[in-house]
Amino acid sequence: MKNIFKLSFFVVLFSIVSCKKDDGADVTFELRDRAEVYAEDIAEIEAYLKDNYLTVDGDLNATISKIDNSQTSIWDQTTYPCNQ
């Protein structure tokens, strides 16, 4: 029983000693205009939807793959419309 208390004490002590309050790294980031970010993000999303196609099996499991032949893109397909 004493060994459990000793072990617990050392684990707690080690946890307290090993954790630093401040590692000296300052995290900074630049705030950007929402319209600018939206324009970039929507362009990437539309490109993704136009470059990939969707396959849905009988159990409604969806698989997204890169277009390699004549598949219809997610953007252009009409079964599950995304651009309304």
Side-chain angles (χ1 to χ4, degrees), residues 24-49:
D26 293 330
V27 178
T28 59
F29 57 92
E30 177 184 341
L31 293 178
R32 295 175 52 202
D33 182 40
R34 294 178 92 176
E36 177 185 330
V37 173
Y38 176 80
E40 290 176 8
D41 290 348
I42 200 68
E44 290 178 16
I45 291 168
E46 288 177 0
Y48 177 82
L49 293 174

